[in-house]
Amino acid sequence: MHEHDVIVVGAGGAGLRAAVAAHEEGADVAMVTKLHPVRSHTGAAEGGINAALREGDSWESHAYDTMKGSDFLGDAPAIETLCKTSPDEVIQLEHWGMPFSREEDGRVSQRPFGGLSFPRTTYAGAETGHHLLHTMYEQVVKRGITVYDEWYVSRLAVTDHENPEDRTCHGVVAIDIQTGRVEGFKARQGVIIATGGPGQAFDHTTNAVSCTGDGPAMAYRAGVPLEDMEFIQFHPTTLPSTGVLISEGVRGEGGILYNANGERLMFEYGYANNAGELASRDVVSRAELTEVNEGRGIEDEYVHLDMRHLGEERIIDRLENILHLAEDFEGVDGLTQPMPVKPGQHYAMGGIETDENGQTCISGLYAAGECACVSVHGANRLGGNALPELIVYGARAGRHAAGTDLGEPQIQTGYSAKSEDGHIDSPVPLGAVDAPEGDVAADGAAVDVDTVLSKAVEAENTRIERLMTKDEGVQHAEIRHKLQKAMTRNVNVFRTEDGLKQALRDIREAREAYEDVYVADPSRTFNTDLIHTIETQNLIDIAETITAGALARTEFRGAHWRAEHQVRKDEEWIKHTLMAWNDGKPELYYKPVILEGEEKTYEPKERSY
Amino acid sequence: MSTQVPETESEPEQEQELEQSSKPEHQQRRLAEKRERQAEREAEAKADAAADEETIHLKVFRYDPEVEGKKEPRFDDFHVPFKQGMTVLDALMQARDLFDSSLTFRHSCRQAICGSDAMFVNGRQRLCCKTQISELSEPVRVEPLPHQEVVKDLVVDMEHFYDQMEAVEPYFQTNDLPEGEEQRQTRENREKVKMSTRCIWCGACMSSCNIAAGDNEYLGPAALNKAYRFAMDEREGEDMKQHRLQIIEQEHGVWRCQTQFSCTNVCPKDIPLTEHIQELKREAVKNNLKFW
């Protein structure tokens, strides 16, 4: 068994920042990650980091833009903390050597971004995430922080008190991917989950193959509610065959969207008569899919994004990276051909419910980054706000887990924050097939730390043994592909009641099929078959929370569009959706959104740009 | 998703061996059943393949130290239906998901930024995710990166590569930081280090380098490029630059490079690695440091 003060699960932007912060507070920190840190998906971020650094800008203005962008579903204390802290964090990154783009005077460059009232997005070319990831990993190396790379955390070691708020997390169980060995990792002070997004629940996503929602699924089954899972951001310009992102910069420079008839669809069909291609992401995504659904898509699947008229010089000067992406991933030369694009899953606004210190309702368990929901993005995330969330809340979680007093949080978590019960009109039972035997916390009401750990290791060994020795059944890839297709078909940009119900039936089917899953590869050495099989179970649980939350929310807010409910209903729906795993069955409830900030209260207004 | 057919030339024999091994009974039964299912799928796949206009023939390196039939390295054949835009990674994933779930390789972002799927494809180090199948001649031969120990199938041990990266102190170091604001850096200086900061640690360069293959202690192109990235960054200051030059001019440092350009040729991010190493040599000479 390994033992450290703080265990960070996942080594992308949030995990690395958390580890450095905890280390600076004097904790003995270890990172446990299923990839090597520099392989993490933070590296794929392109845009930039929003921070009110300059004269004429202010954190208050950044906070207002963020609240408005969230369609008034963000929590003011979370948003204000983000906006106040991100300038210091960006300067910290620069002091760690991050190669930001520079102005003539040598200062860090900033540029305009969607939904921002000031050009406050700092960036490093169109590879900001890559540089942020590497810069922070360098700091981890410098400090000699222990990294267990290619160790897959598959279970949390949590006490089995009846009320999740009485539970404590004492560590994690992980599989050494190289050898197949299962080991316990004891955390004396805290476990920080920083495992990234769940994009692989969809079959067309900008997310890496490793983005399987492991952290949220584990926390959920251990008793932490997942918050606002129905809010999924779809990006309008991704390459059809891979989901690789074509930056909004192409439209920013004047790129045009055409349908199969060669019509400039944004104007021709009145989707956005003023902003055209530069309307917000949700509007453009809906426009493209409408064209495809009405038979004006190309190959019934996509539309064209054309930048040829910009001229070779300008394209190479400002969009060089896009030429490489179109060439390498679609076999298309953007200088001489229009690029095929369609909407793709991009970002999860929801996640593990935390307060401003990154803490969940389970003592000793923290979460930060895309896997978490401290609710800075509400119903829709602004471009450039994901990276500041990683560093601001990664650092806070790290410090708090290491024992630093960050003050009393204003955001309440757990069942005690519940304001009302929810109801899902589900056509099938939700949750574990054989509930309540679900995959819950350590059994035996164990409170002795070592017993909690050893029981968790035992439970994990039993599960793996079962998967490995089962002689026949269904393979994970089959279940995963069906699940991904079901989500893309019915829990996509457009959502109807019938579609969401069908998705719940499909998810149930996946859950039932999973009862029969087996691992065909008999080897313990680097068994990716086993890892992907465990991930697939996580994806099923996450897909269900997304879909159930979406079915329950009968309004149109941010990225959440419902055919039968075409208006935002502020009276009824300014509240957070919570899904809690209760004896193997998801329980839905709500808690209030906090619109009251430090100095002012944010009044919901119609969202137009 | 449709089809593909793992060729049967080698497999039945291999599995025969496996069956005769000392594996427990349930495993043998499992393998027999697995073969049946595979035969069914093959039949379906062949029917589909007949309807498909084009398939891609992959020859994939296989090895697993733990599994009887795979202890002796071999190549397996797969026939994957071709689609416009298909990459080598797409083909490998199809082969794995439809035919043989034990086929093992690293991959994650599928967009040339995580650096995990560098392999030896048709005799050259490449990132599988950014290599279009249509650019290659058939059969497409996929092997693990040369000069690194194979863990299983296409997965190699990267520890030595990571150790070499860490040996050059790959982190920013300066004591001269302004309070509450960023350090200044000229645009020219950022441009100078820009290409060097694009390294994704895929290991292709190291694997292609003859010198690294013969001298295990040689820092190698990736680590030297990392040293360049910091040595040339004006924000670190002159003293630190001297310190960095001392690291790279050690016995197994820059002077081992024989300017063969193989690293530069295979770098998937187009980093001029050889030039960077040459520039470090020039700096070392200017500083009157040691030759080996």
Side-chain angles (χ1 to χ4, degrees):
Chain A
M1 188 168 63
H2 305 270
E3 190 173 335
H4 299 274
D5 292 337
V6 175
I7 307 255
V8 182
V9 184
L16 294 166
R17 186 65 189 89
V20 169
H23 185 266
E24 282 179 342
E25 302 297 316
D28 160 29
V29 186
M31 311 192 73
V32 191
T33 166
K34 69 178 174 180
L35 307 169
H36 181 278
V38 302
R39 315 287 181 220
S40 305
H41 193 56
T42 296
E46 292 170 8
I49 310 171
N50 295 340
L53 281 178
R54 300 282 178 253
E55 230 169 83
D57 198 7
S58 66
W59 72 261
E60 288 92 344
S61 166
H62 184 190
Y64 182 76
D65 292 344
T66 302
M67 182 58 93
K68 180 176 158 193
S70 81
D71 220 349
F72 302 92
L73 202 79
D75 283 331
I79 290 175
E80 293 191 343
T81 301
L82 177 91
C83 301
K84 275 186 221 169
T85 320
S86 102
D88 288 345
E89 284 290 336
V90 166
I91 285 169
Q92 173 72 83
L93 282 172
E94 200 285 336
H95 286 182
W96 285 338
M98 179 155 160
F100 281 103
S101 293
R102 299 284 166 165
E103 295 299 323
E104 286 300 344
D105 64 2
R107 300 206 294 176
V108 169
S109 287
Q110 295 196 298
R111 64 184 169 200
F113 240 58
L116 298 181
S117 55
F118 189 90
R120 71 170 71 89
T121 307
T122 60
Y123 60 98
E127 316 141 345
T128 313
H130 163 79
H131 294 304
L132 177 127
L133 180 69
H134 283 255
T135 300
M136 283 201 299
Y137 177 59
E138 287 158 19
Q139 293 301 309
V140 162
V141 172
K142 183 178 183 182
R143 288 164 171 76
I145 292 171
T146 309
V147 179
Y148 298 88
D149 65 322
E150 296 189 328
W151 280 78
Y152 178 57
V153 174
S154 57
R155 186 180 293 262
L156 302 174
V158 173
T159 58
D160 186 27
H161 294 89
E162 198 176 324
N163 181 349
E165 286 169 56
D166 295 334
R167 293 177 192 164
T168 304
C169 181
H170 290 301
V172 303
V173 182
I175 305 164
D176 177 359
I177 297 175
Q178 293 255 356
T179 64
R181 213 166 59 235
V182 175
E183 287 187 20
F185 288 74
K186 183 152 101 181
R188 285 184 286 258
Q189 286 172 274
V191 169
I192 301 171
I193 298 177
T195 57
Q200 288 295 321
F202 295 80
D203 80 345
H204 190 78
T205 173
T206 61
N207 284 195
V209 176
S210 57
C211 295
T212 51
D214 300 329
M218 285 189 291
Y220 177 50
R221 292 194 295 264
V224 182
L226 299 186
E227 180 173 350
D228 292 336
M229 293 298 283
E230 64 269 34
F231 295 104
I232 299 284
Q233 181 164 74
F234 296 88
H235 197 289
T237 59
T238 71
L239 295 176
S241 53
T242 52
V244 165
L245 185 70
I246 296 296
S247 167
E248 211 159 286
V250 175
R251 283 171 290 137
E253 294 292 335
I256 295 175
L257 291 167
Y258 292 109
N259 64 18
N261 304 335
E263 296 163 312
R264 191 169 178 183
L265 59 103
M266 293 307 295
F267 293 103
E268 202 70 36
Y269 292 90
Y271 299 113
N273 286 326
N274 295 321
E277 282 82 3
L278 281 171
S280 63
R281 286 175 181 181
D282 49 342
V283 173
V284 181
S285 291
R286 287 192 286 267
E288 291 173 5
L289 278 189
T290 303
E291 291 299 293
V292 172
N293 292 343
E294 294 185 355
R296 295 187 296 274
I298 298 150
E299 292 186 0
D300 280 335
E301 194 193 357
Y302 53 86
V303 297
H304 273 151
L305 175 61
D306 197 346
M307 61 177 185
R308 291 174 294 180
H309 57 284
L310 302 179
E312 185 170 343
E313 197 183 330
R314 186 158 165 206
I315 292 172
I316 289 176
D317 182 37
R318 305 185 192 185
L319 300 165
E320 186 194 343
N321 189 37
I322 300 304
L323 285 179
H324 295 313
L325 294 175
E327 176 72 39
D328 294 341
F329 300 107
E330 204 67 46
V332 164
D333 176 5
L335 287 177
T336 60
Q337 293 166 282
M339 298 176 287
V341 292
K342 71 175 193 181
Q345 191 280 349
H346 184 54
Y347 187 87
M349 269 73 78
I352 302 166
E353 183 201 40
T354 73
D355 64 23
E356 307 96 291
N357 300 330
Q359 200 165 23
T360 71
C361 67
I362 291 183
S363 166
L365 186 62
Y366 296 78
E370 189 177 342
C371 71
C373 182
V374 59
S375 201
V376 286
H377 309 307
N380 174 61
R381 175 177 69 79
L382 291 182
N385 262 356
L387 296 182
E389 183 193 8
L390 303 182
I391 47 178
V392 168
Y393 285 101
R396 290 180 71 87
R399 281 190 202 112
H400 199 270
T404 306
D405 183 5
L406 297 178
E408 200 52 37
Q410 291 173 59
I411 294 171
Q412 303 298 306
T413 60
Y415 280 114
S416 50
K418 174 172 22 176
S419 59
E420 63 181 288
D421 288 327
H423 167 72
I424 317 162
D425 180 18
S426 173
V428 284
L430 302 181
V433 172
D434 52 358
E437 191 271 319
D439 183 21
V440 215
D443 56 2
V447 282
D448 165 57
V449 179
D450 288 334
T451 315
V452 173
L453 250 299
S454 62
K455 285 212 177 237
V457 170
E458 196 183 303
E460 200 50 35
N461 271 318
T462 307
R463 160 158 83 159
I464 292 167
E465 195 62 23
R466 196 181 64 226
L467 291 170
M468 297 278 290
T469 54
K470 193 167 156 52
D471 287 342
E472 62 171 345
V474 194
Q475 292 194 351
H476 74 83
E478 195 183 326
I479 300 174
R480 194 188 281 206
H481 287 154
K482 281 188 186 162
L483 180 80
Q484 291 170 330
K485 277 197 184 346
M487 292 298 285
T488 296
R489 193 176 304 122
N490 284 314
V491 199
N492 210 306
V493 174
F494 293 133
R495 298 167 174 187
T496 65
E497 184 174 334
D498 286 349
L500 292 169
K501 286 184 170 170
Q502 183 54 48
L504 284 176
R505 280 190 283 267
D506 294 337
I507 292 164
R508 184 70 188 177
E509 212 171 274
R511 214 182 258 294
E512 281 164 5
Y514 195 86
E515 293 287 294
D516 202 25
V517 80
Y518 84 115
V519 175
D521 186 352
S523 175
R524 285 274 176 171
T525 304
F526 221 98
N527 192 333
T528 52
D529 195 4
L530 171 67
I531 303 302
H532 294 161
T533 301
I534 297 173
E535 288 172 347
T536 300
Q537 183 181 19
N538 295 335
L539 287 171
I540 294 171
D541 285 342
I542 294 302
E544 190 173 78
T545 61
I546 294 169
T547 312
L551 181 61
R553 184 173 285 271
T554 51
E555 67 157 351
F556 176 7
R557 184 181 300 271
H560 175 64
W561 183 99
R562 285 286 305 265
E564 300 84 1
H565 306 278
Q566 285 290 294
V567 284
R568 194 176 85 185
K569 298 171 189 162
D570 286 350
E571 293 288 301
E572 198 188 342
W573 283 106
I574 296 198
K575 60 190 180 190
H576 296 294
T577 309
L578 280 310
M579 294 281 289
W581 186 260
N582 195 347
D583 280 339
K585 286 189 180 138
E587 183 187 341
L588 175 76
Y589 65 88
Y590 295 99
K591 73 171 183 179
V593 172
I594 308 173
L595 292 176
E596 204 174 319
E598 193 177 283
E599 283 157 26
K600 70 170 183 178
T601 298
Y602 299 84
E603 291 293 337
K605 290 196 183 102
E606 196 188 338
R607 199 170 136 246
S608 64
Y609 291 102
Chain B
M1 290 237 175
S2 43
T3 62
Q4 107 10 96
V5 188
E7 199 93 85
T8 42
E9 328 175 303
S10 59
E11 289 208 353
E13 271 173 59
Q14 298 292 352
E15 295 196 353
Q16 204 64 32
E17 255 178 59
L18 222 116
E19 197 169 32
Q20 285 159 1
S21 77
S22 55
K23 290 281 166 189
E25 202 183 323
H26 71 87
Q27 277 203 19
Q28 291 191 23
R29 195 173 65 241
R30 189 169 140 200
L31 282 164
E33 282 163 0
K34 190 182 152 198
R35 263 206 308 279
E36 269 174 45
R37 281 193 301 276
Q38 186 155 315
E40 278 172 34
R41 254 182 285 169
E42 268 178 45
E44 279 174 37
K46 271 182 181 148
D48 286 351
D52 269 311
E53 310 89 55
E54 219 181 327
T55 56
I56 290 297
H57 182 186
L58 294 178
K59 279 188 109 57
V60 184
F61 178 88
R62 305 301 302 273
Y63 164 75
D64 187 326
E66 251 189 275
V67 175
E68 254 340 288
K70 278 174 76 184
K71 278 186 182 170
E72 275 305 308
R74 67 168 199 255
F75 281 86
D76 276 357
D77 295 79
F78 295 92
H79 292 269
V80 182
F82 176 73
K83 245 179 87 183
Q84 166 69 17
M86 188 177 213
T87 62
V88 174
L89 180 64
D90 294 333
L92 285 174
M93 287 166 75
Q94 287 232 11
R96 177 195 67 196
D97 288 355
L98 293 169
F99 275 92
D100 184 350
S101 63
S102 72
L103 176 58
T104 305
F105 48 93
R106 287 192 184 97
H107 68 296
S108 185
C109 76
R110 321 86 90 236
Q111 58 181 88
I113 197 72
C114 79
S116 61
D117 69 342
M119 294 176 212
F120 199 56
V121 181
N122 280 6
R124 180 192 159 104
Q125 288 79 1
R126 309 173 201 253
L127 276 192
C128 289
C129 67
K130 67 169 280 190
T131 304
Q132 290 282 320
I133 285 276
S134 57
E135 288 169 8
L136 303 170
S137 61
E138 285 190 67
V140 175
R141 204 178 155 91
V142 189
E143 298 165 75
L145 284 182
H147 307 311
Q148 275 142 299
E149 201 181 316
V150 179
V151 176
K152 176 176 169 180
D153 292 349
L154 302 164
V155 174
V156 294
D157 188 343
M158 294 288 288
E159 282 311 310
H160 179 62
F161 177 83
Y162 296 145
D163 287 347
Q164 299 303 79
M165 293 301 270
E166 293 198 10
V168 298
E169 300 183 10
Y171 34 80
F172 195 73
Q173 301 179 71
T174 179
N175 296 320
D176 189 20
L177 291 170
E179 273 282 315
E181 63 172 279
E182 68 266 45
Q183 304 154 96
R184 304 291 174 114
Q185 181 185 26
T186 62
R187 283 186 167 190
E188 294 69 30
N189 187 247
R190 189 202 178 244
E191 279 302 309
K192 186 174 179 62
V193 298
K194 186 173 84 180
M195 292 308 288
S196 69
T197 64
R198 288 193 175 160
C199 175
I200 56 174
W201 297 42
C202 69
C205 56
M206 192 78 160
S207 164
S208 77
C209 174
N210 285 331
I211 319 306
D215 174 4
N216 208 35
E217 288 175 63
Y218 175 42
L219 288 170
L224 289 172
N225 174 69
K226 193 79 178 166
Y228 175 97
R229 179 255 171 280
F230 290 110
M232 298 301 170
D233 192 318
E234 65 187 12
R235 293 174 293 170
E236 277 201 341
E238 203 44 44
D239 289 353
M240 187 50 63
K241 185 169 181 173
Q242 292 304 317
H243 173 67
R244 294 207 176 268
L245 290 174
Q246 274 165 19
I247 295 173
I248 57 100
E249 61 92 49
Q250 56 160 295
E251 184 175 357
H252 298 275
V254 287
W255 303 113
R256 282 283 185 268
C257 171
Q258 293 181 8
T259 334
Q260 295 176 344
F261 286 94
S262 55
C263 53
T264 305
N265 288 336
V266 300
C267 177
K269 305 309 278 186
D270 301 324
I271 303 168
L273 294 157
T274 314
E275 262 178 55
H276 287 170
I277 297 171
Q278 294 314 102
E279 201 175 334
L280 287 175
K281 285 181 185 172
R282 284 197 293 275
E283 289 292 316
V285 171
K286 277 196 274 178
N287 281 277
N288 201 20
L289 298 171
K290 288 179 282 201
F291 288 90
W292 290 86

